[in-house]
Amino acid sequence: MTLSPERAPATAGTRRLTRTLYASAFCDEFVLLYPVYALLFSDTGLSVWQISSLFALWSLTGVLLEVPSGAWADAVSRRLLLVLGPLLTAAGFALWVLVPSYGAFALGFVLWGAGGALGSGAQEALVYDELDRAGAADRYAGVMGRARAIGIAATMAAMGLAGPVFAWGGYDAVGAASVLICLVGAAVATRFPEHREPSAGGPGWTATLRAGLADARTDRSVRGALLLVPAVTAVWGALDEYTPLLALDTGVAEETVPWLLLVIWAGATGGSLLAGAAGRLTTTGFAALLTGSALAMAVGAAAGTPAALVLVGLAFGGFQLATVLADARLQQRIDDTGRATLTSVAGLGTELGTLATYAVASTATGHGTAFALAAVPYLLTALALATAARATAAAARARP
């Protein structure tokens, strides 16, 4: 599938799609429990190892369900899964607040992990297919970039509002608000247009999974695009959990840390918003983007000063841009029958890469060192891309 050389004008269908996507992105991230749920676990009396086991259970759920849920989305309605996902998450949050205990927290994380897995792959596949149907596939990177930017803004807004709401009503208030926004998100998802109709009596999700994986094995361009997504996304996606500690290591007071985080995430937001303009970046340009971002992160983190975190923000902007573009490249190379399946396979690779990054970061001596070392995988990925681009150009020149 190739991109249209001209940008298709917005139609009523594409406007409905993008508005629904942006509203859904906001609901997914505007969860007031995010900044305080670790405190809820601690105040309930859970030990450090119990809290760690909950996070492990959450990750394991996502890993186990990521690919099957994508195959299910290709076999049935993708919109249906986007509606079910927030409902499962809402049920998990409700359990946490109503019956706070280790068992309820564990079940809540399973429900949350399952809800996230249902949406992963299904959303990207639905959005791309609907844009492609309207002749606007070239708008995919820009649309998804704006959706990512809205999600980041929603996260920052939730962090700012969680404190006052918690001071007013405690865990009950932030929990109720979180359940409510999930229910709103499910209602919003019902507004997604979906013209793709799975054929009656068609293959089940297991057959869809096998077909999608076969495409990745036999098509080199699909396989390369599939591997690029976790190579770009996993490392910086894990490092964002350490940004508060990186900021604190610069020697600022704790109350200054949120302001430094705003600088970093402003960079990520800017990267998302540039996705539309950068949609036609060549492979060589993509390699240069990764190289520049990796070097900026390494220098900014190693400097250990508050001002140098501006470089980390620029790096996160570059990585966010590369994440959106890598997803767009994958969508361009796969067909609609297995789109959600292969997108979920890429998501599984990202999950595993994130877990590996956590393991490596935990052994580093200092957070600045961990961020600097994390630049190495990006430099290797950029080198592989540049080498592939040169080989393709050489082959093109040798062709009669």
Side-chain angles (χ1 to χ4, degrees), residues 299-381:
V299 172
T305 65
L309 291 184
V310 173
L311 290 175
V312 178
L314 291 174
F316 271 40
F319 294 142
Q320 178 70 286
L321 173 59
T323 295
V324 177
L325 295 181
D327 172 47
R329 290 178 177 223
L330 176 62
Q331 302 305 326
Q332 293 163 13
R333 286 163 174 76
I334 54 183
D335 61 59
D336 60 345
T337 57
R339 189 176 303 283
T341 301
L342 290 182
T343 304
S344 291
V345 170
L348 174 61
T350 300
E351 291 280 355
L352 295 176
T354 299
L355 292 175
T357 303
Y358 286 147
V360 173
S362 66
T363 63
T365 56
H367 301 102
T369 302
F371 274 72
L373 290 175
V376 175
Y378 286 112
L379 294 175
L380 294 176
T381 300

Side-chain angles (χ1 to χ4, degrees), residues 176-284:
S178 300
V179 170
L180 178 61
I181 198 65
C182 289
L183 296 179
V184 172
V188 167
T190 64
R191 296 289 301 159
F192 274 112
E194 184 178 27
H195 292 87
R196 171 186 172 274
E197 292 287 346
S199 57
W205 72 268
T206 54
T208 303
L209 175 59
R210 288 194 297 270
L213 294 177
D215 287 342
R217 286 195 302 270
T218 57
D219 192 323
R220 183 178 178 181
S221 67
V222 171
R223 187 166 60 252
L226 195 66
L227 293 173
L228 183 61
V229 173
V232 168
T233 309
V235 175
W236 86 274
L239 291 178
D240 71 356
E241 302 290 347
Y242 297 91
T243 51
L245 300 174
L246 179 68
L248 193 61
D249 283 352
T250 63
V252 299
E254 290 186 0
E255 56 268 23
T256 307
V257 168
W259 296 104
L260 295 179
L261 294 182
L262 283 176
V263 172
I264 294 175
W265 289 106
T269 304
S272 293
L273 295 176
L274 289 173
R280 298 186 182 279
L281 200 65
T282 64
T283 300
T284 301

Side-chain angles (χ1 to χ4, degrees), residues 79-187:
R79 179 173 57 197
L80 173 63
L81 269 64
L82 293 177
V83 174
L84 291 177
L87 294 179
L88 292 179
T89 303
F93 290 161
L95 277 174
W96 287 2
V97 178
L98 294 176
V99 284
S101 61
Y102 181 81
F105 296 148
L107 180 56
F109 266 124
V110 170
L111 292 171
W112 189 3
L118 290 181
S120 177
Q123 185 183 82
E124 293 89 345
L126 185 150
V127 171
Y128 189 90
D129 281 349
E130 290 299 316
L131 288 174
D132 188 41
R133 179 181 179 275
D138 61 334
R139 296 180 57 197
Y140 177 80
V143 167
M144 294 304 291
R146 286 189 289 274
R148 298 285 182 92
I150 289 171
I152 294 173
T155 299
M156 301 306 292
M159 292 175 65
L161 192 58
V165 173
F166 180 77
W168 171 70
Y171 293 118
D172 289 342
V174 294
S178 300
V179 170
L180 178 61
I181 198 65
C182 289
L183 296 179
V184 172

